[in-house]
Amino acid sequence: MSPTRTAPAVDPRELRRTFGHFATGVTVVTCRRGTLLHGATVNSFTSVSLDPPLALVALDRRTRLAALLDDGPFVVNLLGEHQQDLALHFAGRPSAHAVSWADDDGDRPRLDGTLGHLVCRPWRTYDGGDHTLHVGRVEAFAAAGGRPLLFHRGLFPRLMPEEPRPQGPAAVWSLCLDGPGPAMEQFVTDHEIRK
């Protein structure tokens, strides 16, 4: 019988620093429960599925919002690069300016001036260690467009100025081997040429 090996201890601060090297967009997840509006800045957001339409947010299980997302609809507000103050406000650094809402009367409160939003209904919640993973079924959405607010290594960097984009259906997936279209065929062709 071989001795049991234990995994080396992981330094949470170093792990967090390493995770921080992955640039993300910034969202604010909002909901209304009773008469109160709730919101939290979240950069752990991702699309999950188109059929059914699903999106995921990961929240620290100690937050108030994590305990509320299973109880009704919530909105994922996609922030633009001009909304850094709003991101900080919902991260616990209140802004001197009032929060501007596009709709705060119903149970699906949306922030004003965002790049877009997704209205979600709770679908599944999973244990994610010190976080809970909330998958919502997207019931409504809209995109106004613009430049996103990014988060990288504790800072809010800006994108480079836009350059002309490639055209055609494969343009979006031109550098991805996991997407639809001729990208994989091109990779195979290029690989065969190099041999």
Side-chain angles (χ1 to χ4, degrees):
M1 198 160 122
S2 63
T4 304
R5 289 186 166 180
T6 57
V10 173
D11 181 340
R13 288 171 299 179
E14 286 301 309
L15 181 59
R16 183 184 183 102
R17 188 180 66 76
T18 301
F19 282 156
H21 280 73
F22 183 71
T24 66
V26 182
T27 71
V28 171
V29 178
T30 54
C31 68
R32 177 187 287 281
R33 299 296 180 259
T35 60
L36 298 178
L37 293 172
H38 301 274
T41 300
V42 176
N43 71 326
S44 296
F45 158 75
T46 190
S47 60
V48 175
S49 169
L50 296 177
D51 184 19
L54 302 175
L56 178 146
V57 293
L59 294 169
D60 186 316
R61 66 174 60 252
R62 298 171 297 180
T63 63
R64 185 177 313 137
L65 192 62
L68 298 173
L69 288 196
D70 290 338
D71 296 336
F74 59 93
V75 180
V76 181
N77 298 273
L78 310 174
L79 299 190
E81 68 180 8
H82 62 286
Q83 294 179 305
Q84 182 176 332
D85 287 347
L86 196 57
L88 293 173
H89 176 84
F90 283 98
R93 297 185 200 164
S95 170
H97 307 290
V99 173
S100 181
W101 296 89
D103 177 11
D104 65 350
D105 292 332
D107 62 353
R108 301 161 181 219
R110 291 185 295 110
L111 296 170
D112 193 29
T114 63
L115 301 188
H117 68 274
L118 300 106
V119 177
C120 299
R121 174 86 42 198
W123 194 71
R124 302 278 191 284
T125 301
Y126 300 97
D127 178 9
D130 58 9
H131 280 57
T132 50
L133 310 179
H134 300 269
V135 178
R137 185 178 181 109
V138 179
E139 295 185 327
F141 60 93
R147 296 170 65 79
L149 181 63
L150 300 178
F151 189 69
H152 178 253
R153 297 178 63 193
L155 301 172
F156 296 101
R158 291 184 177 257
L159 290 174
M160 294 284 292
E162 291 188 29
E163 295 182 11
R165 298 181 186 175
Q167 300 298 312
V172 172
W173 292 100
S174 61
L175 299 176
C176 178
L177 299 181
D178 188 33
M184 181 56 91
E185 295 166 16
Q186 185 63 48
F187 172 77
V188 171
T189 303
D190 290 347
H191 185 69
E192 288 172 352
I193 291 170
R194 288 188 199 123
K195 280 186 175 176

